Amino acid sequence: MGSLIDPTGTAFLLVENRSMPMHVGGLQLFEKPAGAGRGYGREMYESMRDVDEIAPLFLKRPHRSLSTAAQLTWVEDEQFDIDHHIRHSALPQPGRIRELLDLSGRLHGTRLAWERPLWEAHVIEGLRDGRVALYTKVHHALVDGISAMRLVQSTLSPDPDLREMPPPWDARTRRDRPRPPKQDAETSLTEIPTQALRSALGITAEAAGMPGALIKTITKGVRNETSALSLYAPRTIFNQKITGSRRFAAQDWPIERLHAIGKATGTTINDVVLAMCGGAVRRYLLEVDALPETSLVAMVPIGLKAKESHIASTEGGNAVGSVMCQLGTDLEDPADRLTVIHAAMQDGKEALSTMTPLQIMAMSALGQAPAIAAPMLRMSGLVRPPYNLIISNVPGPRATQYWNGAKLVGHYPLSIPINGMALNITCISYDGNLGFGLIGCRRTVPHLQRLLTHLDDEVTALEKAAGV
Amino acid sequence: MGSLIDPTGTAFLLVENRSMPMHVGGLQLFEKPAGAGRGYGREMYESMRDVDEIAPLFLKRPHRSLSTAAQLTWVEDEQFDIDHHIRHSALPQPGRIRELLDLSGRLHGTRLAWERPLWEAHVIEGLRDGRVALYTKVHHALVDGISAMRLVQSTLSPDPDLREMPPPWDARTRRDRPRPPKQDAETSLTEIPTQALRSALGITAEAAGMPGALIKTITKGVRNETSALSLYAPRTIFNQKITGSRRFAAQDWPIERLHAIGKATGTTINDVVLAMCGGAVRRYLLEVDALPETSLVAMVPIGLKAKESHIASTEGGNAVGSVMCQLGTDLEDPADRLTVIHAAMQDGKEALSTMTPLQIMAMSALGQAPAIAAPMLRMSGLVRPPYNLIISNVPGPRATQYWNGAKLVGHYPLSIPINGMALNITCISYDGNLGFGLIGCRRTVPHLQRLLTHLDDEVTALEKAAGV
């Protein structure tokens, strides 16, 4: 009668409550194929719904079994109803991106009921430019955010003429399609040895020496490990208890623009992304008169090459570490902020390379599952939040992708705000653009969408500072 | 810390599961006021959302309190988020009534989470004729179906020029508006003495002599109370375990047409409604080759005048009884069916008048809350279902109604299918029309929408039979 849910999945299910739904989401924008008419939204919906065989991942639901001493098990939903999971929706007038983001935020704020398999997909029409959107949500107990994105991507193709392509929940998706070839370490966040993450969740912070490890990843400017004041992130409005209301904001920027800034300043694209976020958050907090005197600290998950991570070789994959990066929000000049961030990221990566395998595993857990890891790791002695927000940058496909002839023109992630971490920024690169997905508690982070304007202003400011 | 939820409310909450959400719904269609533009849906949404003070009924959520020995209490939702409860939605192309019914069925099939107050309202635009719809759902633990309709109606006005009208959840709705004057017994189903219903749920069937009482309401044709075979309803596909999937169908018929049939045949409008339903169900079951040899029996809740109900006077209101009405589905001729139904209803009402107050109360419970009452009453010895489906006919306002200038042009109820009772038909009269709302389990009652065509064919057949 069903298989036991592993401890990490169980933890994601049990930590969940109305204020913290534990699902990851994705919003994809498609252009209709040439010649498609007004009924295309329905056609897409029907081809996503009319699937002969659903993959097992999408058929199972959690069940608290009496026969397994109240442990959670996965059981197949015997009343599986595809119409509950695949929905056909439309935007109200005037059908702008704003209405799409409103709907996505609303869908993302509703918890998945345990009574059914833990996923939904919504085909959304009614954008006034004729594009069709797909919002998907999957519980973190089933897949992590990166795997969810990868799952969606695995159903796409660079071939615009390909048809009969299955959706992610089609059993054919896994059987017929080869896994994409391994790429360089940067693109291999999805290859995290799951076992490592799972082990880490069983390790206390002290056993792993986590406070020291966290400190190591904070910039060189902070050397005195006994001076708690200078070590940890300041309190901000982002670091409060959250509610279940969500606001979502999303926008693309051309990677070429970020690349030009990086090239002119000797920094990486990821540094530029962090500088954009740092500057935007600074502007946002200034507007609401809530900018702390000391710099905000972001937790930045990064992929580690096998040789850097010690543990990777035994697991046959790569690991994820986390750098605690000062964002320079205390500095007025965008160029100064970029310099600080670049140094912080370099120091952080260096520090990661000196960490023990146990610490690396604990950092992986923190980077992958902060909602579980942060409380479980119980970072003793850390009276302030060790970081203020999470900023992730995930590589996506470089070539233009299609699903049954519909061109993917945008892809934006929706991650998981948690108590004490009300704002999450996740970016995904695709086809020459970097898509930013900002998700936050609507109450704790009011007017979250203003961050988009601030991000845009920061790109311009950084270009000016870099002389490009 | 909150007030205990009364036993009936608790029962509705506890009997609920994924297959049987216990909320009642309503779908209303509005015509835009003159001069309103494409943005009218948003205006209506905003005026429903932007409420200064929410009425207490709409602020409370169930809570299982440790301090009250795990009894359920109502607590105020301290994180109340109006955006969770009032939604702005749109229909996909081509925006026909069919798409509206699909969306309504989908919304009706989703259970309300206990984590929040147990109601939702969806302003739905995108109908190609420019009308705007409102789907509302409220948990049966808060209000019964008739009270829910009455609550919605209490916010309407026959004055098309009235503005600043509050929605049902606005605290002003209850404070400022006088209760509508009492009308004749037919229109007073809402005045059921709640206490009577509550008491009845505590009474066992045997104590109340229910099997005998049920039998009394079945037609004169069945006199031998010891012959179980002839007493009870036949098994049908409607009387199975249900799933959580819902299909909703709705349509209006002019009361004048039904009235003309009744006048020509010496029957009531309610008899004609039952004959329409009986004929439609017969056609439906014939199509799927599942028509039983003996007639289906409908449970028909009816309002009882004070003098008929014995108990009414002490409670200051009227009671609801239930008549078990043979629908004549075994008869080919529509005229014969109408004759049988008319006799069955007359006999049933007569039988009700001979029942004891305790039996009346038990019948009220059965008519008002079959999901709770049927199992609780444990009708000993009834090995078959005592009835096959519930058909209710509820009087609504006779005059054209408006909400802030928007004309109400249709009103359709969505009731609660339960295990063993997969189809429910509820009608509401309004402004010269009778609006039928048919709700069923999509799996147990496939192609439910075909019943609309059959209902329409039955009106024509009855007109022909009656010579009108």
Side-chain angles (χ1 to χ4, degrees):
Chain A
M1 296 299 292
S3 56
L4 277 182
I5 301 182
D6 68 73
T8 309
T10 300
F12 274 116
L13 288 165
L14 296 181
V15 78
E16 181 170 63
N17 60 43
R18 160 248 188 111
S19 304
M20 289 204 308
M22 282 286 142
H23 52 255
V24 292
L27 178 66
Q28 295 177 294
L29 272 171
F30 289 94
E31 260 173 25
K32 294 178 192 174
R38 283 162 64 90
Y40 182 72
R42 177 166 301 276
E43 281 170 40
M44 181 182 256
Y45 158 68
E46 287 173 355
S47 53
M48 296 212 159
R49 182 195 61 186
D50 299 337
V51 164
D52 286 335
E53 191 188 343
I54 302 286
L57 183 72
F58 296 91
L59 282 176
K60 63 188 189 178
R61 64 180 182 84
H63 175 65
R64 200 186 290 270
S65 164
L66 287 178
S67 66
T68 53
Q71 279 186 284
L72 291 177
T73 55
W74 290 121
V75 293
E76 187 172 322
D77 182 7
E78 287 178 3
Q79 296 183 17
F80 181 79
D81 176 21
I82 188 76
D83 286 305
H84 181 86
H85 299 276
I86 317 283
R87 316 277 183 91
H88 186 193
S89 299
L91 298 178
Q93 293 288 336
R96 298 162 300 183
I97 290 294
R98 179 179 166 171
E99 278 73 39
L100 178 62
L101 297 178
D102 277 358
L103 178 58
S104 304
R106 186 175 109 188
L107 295 172
H108 205 64
T110 307
R111 195 173 153 185
L112 291 160
W114 287 20
E115 297 174 321
R116 296 173 184 271
L118 300 170
W119 65 283
E120 286 172 15
H122 300 251
V123 175
I124 303 164
E125 61 180 58
L127 275 164
R128 61 180 169 187
D129 59 18
R131 292 184 295 181
V132 177
L134 178 67
Y135 165 81
T136 45
K137 68 199 271 189
V138 186
H139 200 281
H140 206 317
L142 289 175
V143 289
D144 63 58
I146 296 165
S147 303
M149 282 185 224
R150 170 64 59 95
L151 187 61
V152 169
Q153 286 165 12
S154 74
T155 63
L156 302 172
S157 161
D159 180 355
D161 298 320
L162 206 58
R163 293 295 183 275
E164 309 284 329
M165 296 168 69
W169 40 90
D170 191 318
R172 285 183 299 158
T173 295
R174 307 215 122 194
R175 282 207 299 266
D176 293 355
R177 294 177 66 83
R179 296 200 63 176
K182 290 208 178 175
Q183 297 171 347
D184 55 278
E186 276 287 311
T187 62
S188 303
L189 290 188
T190 52
E191 312 289 328
I192 319 140
T194 313
Q195 200 47 51
L197 172 59
R198 313 238 130 131
S199 317
L201 291 170
I203 300 163
T204 66
E206 251 167 318
M210 276 298 290
L214 280 173
I215 287 159
K216 275 189 183 156
T217 81
I218 297 183
T219 65
K220 278 187 182 157
V222 186
R223 279 297 183 208
N224 182 359
E225 296 195 6
T226 58
S227 157
L229 274 180
S230 53
L231 286 176
Y232 309 116
R235 288 191 195 284
T236 74
I237 59 170
F238 304 135
N239 308 111
Q240 302 175 56
K241 214 171 161 188
I242 62 170
T243 76
S245 309
R246 294 287 172 272
R247 180 75 75 200
F248 180 54
Q251 195 168 319
D252 285 313
W253 282 271
I255 292 174
E256 189 40 57
R257 285 180 71 185
L258 314 188
H259 180 69
I261 297 166
K263 202 171 168 192
T265 54
T267 60
T268 70
I269 291 179
N270 199 42
D271 293 339
V272 177
V273 167
L274 292 168
M276 284 170 69
C277 296
V281 164
R282 175 185 155 88
R283 284 173 196 252
Y284 174 88
L285 291 174
L286 273 176
E287 269 189 359
V288 293
D289 199 22
L291 183 69
E293 278 183 26
T294 56
S295 172
L296 270 70
V297 175
M299 182 177 83
V300 184
I302 61 165
L304 299 175
K305 293 204 179 91
K307 64 179 157 60
E308 292 167 348
S309 65
H310 315 296
I311 53 161
S313 52
T314 62
E315 298 280 347
N318 293 283
V320 171
S322 302
V323 169
M324 301 296 151
C325 176
Q326 303 231 12
L327 292 174
T329 53
D330 53 331
L331 304 172
E332 263 186 54
D333 182 8
D336 290 350
R337 286 200 295 271
L338 181 55
T339 306
V340 163
I341 286 166
H342 179 67
M345 289 303 293
Q346 282 214 313
D347 292 352
K349 286 180 200 166
E350 245 172 59
L352 275 177
S353 70
T354 69
M355 283 163 62
T356 67
L358 202 60
Q359 287 173 337
I360 290 272
M361 284 203 297
M363 291 297 269
S364 282
L366 200 57
Q368 287 291 296
I372 301 176
M376 284 180 80
L377 291 173
R378 287 196 174 284
M379 286 161 276
S380 44
L382 298 191
V383 287
R384 300 198 190 183
Y387 51 92
N388 298 104
L389 74 162
I390 302 170
I391 304 176
S392 308
N393 186 356
V394 183
R398 289 183 189 170
T400 310
Q401 302 287 313
Y402 296 84
W403 192 75
N404 287 316
K407 180 180 171 184
L408 178 69
V409 290
H411 189 175
Y412 314 92
L414 295 89
S415 191
I416 306 177
I418 57 175
N419 276 332
M421 217 62 61
L423 174 67
N424 177 295
I425 303 179
T426 303
C427 310
I428 181 165
S429 60
Y430 166 62
D431 197 17
N433 283 313
L434 199 60
F436 281 62
L438 290 73
I439 185 90
C441 165
R442 193 169 58 227
R443 302 225 169 156
T444 321
V445 190
H447 307 296
L448 180 152
Q449 65 277 14
R450 286 186 191 162
L451 282 165
L452 293 182
T453 315
H454 300 331
L455 283 169
D456 200 51
D457 291 344
E458 282 299 313
V459 180
T460 309
L462 286 164
E463 283 174 335
K464 202 174 153 190
V468 294
Chain B
M1 295 303 291
S3 56
L4 278 182
I5 300 181
D6 68 73
T8 308
T10 300
F12 275 115
L13 288 165
L14 296 182
V15 77
E16 181 170 63
N17 60 44
R18 160 249 187 110
S19 302
M20 290 204 307
M22 281 286 141
H23 51 256
V24 291
L27 178 66
Q28 294 176 293
L29 272 172
F30 290 95
E31 259 173 27
K32 294 178 192 175
R38 283 162 64 89
Y40 181 73
R42 177 167 302 277
E43 281 170 40
M44 181 181 256
Y45 159 68
E46 286 173 356
S47 53
M48 296 215 159
R49 182 194 62 187
D50 299 338
V51 164
D52 286 335
E53 191 188 343
I54 302 285
L57 184 72
F58 296 90
L59 282 176
K60 64 188 190 181
R61 63 180 182 85
H63 175 66
R64 199 186 289 270
S65 164
L66 287 178
S67 66
T68 52
Q71 280 186 283
L72 291 178
T73 55
W74 290 121
V75 293
E76 186 173 325
D77 182 8
E78 289 178 3
Q79 296 182 18
F80 181 78
D81 176 23
I82 188 75
D83 286 305
H84 181 85
H85 299 275
I86 318 282
R87 315 276 183 91
H88 186 194
S89 298
L91 298 178
Q93 290 291 334
R96 297 163 301 182
I97 290 294
R98 178 179 167 171
E99 277 73 40
L100 178 61
L101 297 178
D102 276 358
L103 178 58
S104 304
R106 186 174 110 188
L107 294 172
H108 204 64
T110 308
R111 196 174 153 183
L112 291 159
W114 287 19
E115 298 173 321
R116 297 175 184 270
L118 299 170
W119 65 283
E120 286 173 15
H122 300 252
V123 176
I124 303 164
E125 62 179 60
L127 274 165
R128 59 181 172 187
D129 59 18
R131 291 184 296 182
V132 177
L134 178 67
Y135 166 82
T136 45
K137 66 199 271 192
V138 185
H139 200 280
H140 206 318
L142 290 175
V143 288
D144 61 58
I146 296 166
S147 303
M149 282 184 222
R150 172 62 59 96
L151 187 62
V152 169
Q153 286 164 11
S154 74
T155 62
L156 302 172
S157 161
D159 181 355
D161 298 320
L162 205 59
R163 293 295 184 275
E164 309 284 332
M165 294 168 71
W169 40 91
D170 191 318
R172 285 182 298 156
T173 294
R174 306 216 123 191
R175 282 206 299 267
D176 293 355
R177 293 178 66 83
R179 297 200 63 177
K182 289 205 177 176
Q183 296 171 350
D184 56 279
E186 276 289 309
T187 62
S188 302
L189 290 188
T190 52
E191 313 289 328
I192 318 140
T194 312
Q195 199 48 50
L197 172 59
R198 312 235 131 132
S199 317
L201 292 171
I203 300 163
T204 67
E206 251 166 317
M210 275 300 288
L214 280 172
I215 287 158
K216 276 190 183 155
T217 80
I218 297 183
T219 68
K220 279 187 182 156
V222 185
R223 280 296 183 209
N224 181 2
E225 297 198 4
T226 57
S227 158
L229 274 179
S230 54
L231 286 175
Y232 310 117
R235 290 192 195 283
T236 74
I237 58 169
F238 304 136
N239 308 112
Q240 302 176 55
K241 213 172 163 188
I242 61 170
T243 75
S245 307
R246 295 288 171 272
R247 179 75 75 199
F248 179 54
Q251 195 168 319
D252 285 312
W253 281 272
I255 290 174
E256 191 41 58
R257 285 181 71 186
L258 314 189
H259 180 70
I261 297 167
K263 203 173 166 189
T265 55
T267 59
T268 70
I269 291 179
N270 200 43
D271 293 339
V272 177
V273 167
L274 293 168
M276 285 170 67
C277 295
V281 163
R282 176 184 153 87
R283 286 174 195 252
Y284 174 88
L285 291 174
L286 273 176
E287 269 188 0
V288 294
D289 198 22
L291 182 69
E293 279 183 24
T294 56
S295 172
L296 270 71
V297 176
M299 182 177 84
V300 184
I302 60 163
L304 298 176
K305 292 203 180 92
K307 62 179 158 61
E308 291 167 348
S309 66
H310 316 297
I311 54 162
S313 54
T314 62
E315 298 279 347
N318 293 283
V320 170
S322 302
V323 169
M324 300 297 151
C325 176
Q326 303 230 14
L327 293 174
T329 53
D330 52 332
L331 303 172
E332 262 184 56
D333 182 7
D336 291 348
R337 284 200 296 271
L338 182 55
T339 306
V340 163
I341 286 166
H342 178 68
M345 289 305 291
Q346 280 213 314
D347 291 351
K349 284 180 202 167
E350 246 172 60
L352 274 176
S353 71
T354 69
M355 283 164 62
T356 67
L358 201 61
Q359 287 173 336
I360 290 273
M361 284 204 296
M363 290 296 270
S364 283
L366 200 58
Q368 287 291 296
I372 301 176
M376 285 181 79
L377 293 173
R378 285 194 174 285
M379 286 161 277
S380 44
L382 299 192
V383 287
R384 299 197 189 183
Y387 50 93
N388 298 103
L389 74 162
I390 301 170
I391 304 177
S392 309
N393 185 357
V394 183
R398 289 181 188 172
T400 309
Q401 302 285 313
Y402 296 84
W403 191 75
N404 287 315
K407 181 181 171 183
L408 180 69
V409 291
H411 188 173
Y412 314 93
L414 294 90
S415 192
I416 306 177
I418 57 176
N419 277 331
M421 218 59 63
L423 173 67
N424 177 295
I425 303 180
T426 303
C427 309
I428 181 165
S429 60
Y430 165 62
D431 198 16
N433 283 313
L434 200 61
F436 281 62
L438 289 73
I439 185 91
C441 165
R442 194 168 57 226
R443 299 218 172 162
T444 320
V445 191
H447 309 295
L448 181 150
Q449 64 279 10
R450 286 186 191 161
L451 282 164
L452 293 182
T453 315
H454 299 331
L455 283 168
D456 200 50
D457 290 344
E458 281 301 312
V459 179
T460 309
L462 287 164
E463 282 173 336
K464 202 175 155 191
V468 296

